[in-house]
Amino acid sequence: ALIVIPIYTAGRLSAARRDVIGTLTRRERQLEDLSHRLEIAVDISKIGIWELNSKSSQLIWDPNLREIYGVGPNERVAIGTWETYLHPEDREKAVAAYKKASHAGGSHISDFRIVLASGEIRHIRSMGTAYADADGWLRMIGVNLDVTRDVHLREQLIETNSILLQRNNELNDAKLLAERADRAKSEFLANMSHEIRTPMNGILGMADLMAGSDLGAEERQYLDTIRDSSHALLKIINDCLLYTSDAADEEDSVD
């Protein structure tokens, strides 16, 4: 018993140790895979990451963040470096948002512009959070996203919508003008029909009355000529008015 029990116990402990080592090894591989996937995702998305240690005053910018701000890999970055890139019109708002979040548990989301050394302006969306480490020192970590392309696309969309709205208003104005012109045309044709036909009908009416009176052969020939000419002229007037009206209707149907 003195020999078997210790050997059995040692074997159990060894097996348990192997299980623990195996579990730790699997978790280590999982963490490595997760870290690798996160690294690929961050690199593809071009998200810039920064981290600040208040104890050592050490500020770390990853390669993506340096690329966003146009900072070389060997250039030194300090706590105030970020503020030097801020657009003058956005500096106060961005700094206030950052300071508001610079306490344990604080966080911020803000949009601002930066001006690169080349003069190029970029639109940035910044997110960060602060926490206390195991020693009680404040640490901050955050990300920056270059949303310049999204902002420009939104501006172009707004401009395009404005142009479309203006064109739509112009079309509505043109439609109103066309409707007014159509009404004026209809009124003109109605007036022409009345103003021309009325005197012609008067001439024909008087000629018909004269035809019933006692006229000589020569006077009746004159009267027949007046009546024939009046009928011919009235037919021409009717044809002209009808053609004009049909042409106007065809234009309206095309419009």
Side-chain angles (χ1 to χ4, degrees):
L2 293 174
I3 294 173
V4 173
I5 292 175
I7 292 175
Y8 175 77
T9 303
R12 293 293 302 272
L13 291 174
S14 177
R17 181 172 177 273
R18 286 195 300 271
D19 291 341
V20 171
I21 292 174
T23 301
L24 291 175
T25 302
R26 286 193 300 272
R27 289 182 178 178
E28 184 178 359
R29 291 198 191 101
Q30 291 173 354
L31 288 174
E32 288 178 355
D33 292 341
L34 178 60
S35 177
H36 184 60
R37 288 196 296 269
L38 288 175
E39 183 179 348
I40 293 175
V42 169
D43 185 61
I44 292 175
S45 61
K46 297 300 181 182
I47 296 176
I49 302 175
W50 59 270
E51 184 177 1
L52 173 64
N53 185 339
S54 63
K55 179 180 180 180
S56 62
S57 297
Q58 181 184 17
L59 179 64
I60 300 175
W61 283 18
D62 79 336
N64 285 341
L65 189 62
R66 289 176 175 270
E67 181 179 349
I68 291 174
Y69 282 78
V71 177
N74 298 322
E75 292 185 50
R76 180 179 177 274
V77 290
I79 295 177
T81 302
W82 165 71
E83 295 185 24
T84 62
Y85 286 90
L86 292 174
H87 192 284
E89 296 178 2
D90 299 342
R91 179 176 290 111
E92 183 178 354
K93 179 184 66 175
V95 172
Y98 169 79
K99 290 182 177 179
K100 185 178 180 180
S102 58
H103 58 83
S107 62
H108 78 277
I109 300 177
S110 61
D111 294 338
F112 51 82
R113 291 167 292 176
I114 60 173
V115 183
L116 305 186
S118 62
E120 178 187 355
I121 296 177
R122 291 183 178 177
H123 295 260
I124 304 298
R125 177 160 297 156
S126 176
M127 293 173 281
T129 186
Y131 65 96
D133 62 13
D135 297 327
W137 290 97
L138 181 69
R139 287 178 177 269
M140 294 188 70
I141 187 168
V143 298
N144 278 191
L145 292 82
D146 185 353
V147 294
T148 305
R149 184 172 179 272
D150 295 338
V151 171
H152 288 167
L153 286 175
R154 185 168 65 250
E155 292 174 347
Q156 291 175 4
L157 180 61
I158 293 174
E159 182 180 357
T160 301
N161 287 337
S162 177
I163 293 174
L164 289 176
L165 180 60
Q166 181 180 356
R167 296 285 174 81
N168 188 52
N169 292 335
E170 292 175 355
L171 288 175
N172 288 335
D173 293 341
K175 181 181 178 181
L176 291 175
L177 289 175
E179 290 175 351
R180 293 194 191 102
D182 184 63
R183 286 195 297 270
K185 187 190 304 181
S186 300
E187 293 173 359
F188 171 76
L189 291 176
N191 291 332
M192 286 290 293
S193 176
H194 176 73
E195 297 296 333
I196 295 178
R197 286 194 179 101
T198 297
M200 288 303 303
N201 288 330
I203 294 174
L204 288 173
M206 294 298 101
D208 290 339
L209 291 175
M210 290 181 64
S213 60
D214 186 16
L215 297 175
E218 186 175 359
E219 286 82 0
R220 185 166 297 280
Q221 183 179 1
Y222 294 157
L223 181 60
D224 290 340
T225 301
I226 293 174
R227 294 176 66 187
D228 293 340
S229 299
S230 297
H231 281 293
L233 182 58
L234 185 60
K235 184 178 184 305
I236 293 173
I237 292 172
N238 289 334
D239 291 342
C240 289
L241 292 175
L242 180 62
Y243 174 79
T244 305
S245 177
D246 291 342
D249 292 339
E250 289 180 3
E251 289 180 2
D252 291 341
S253 63
V254 170
D255 294 340

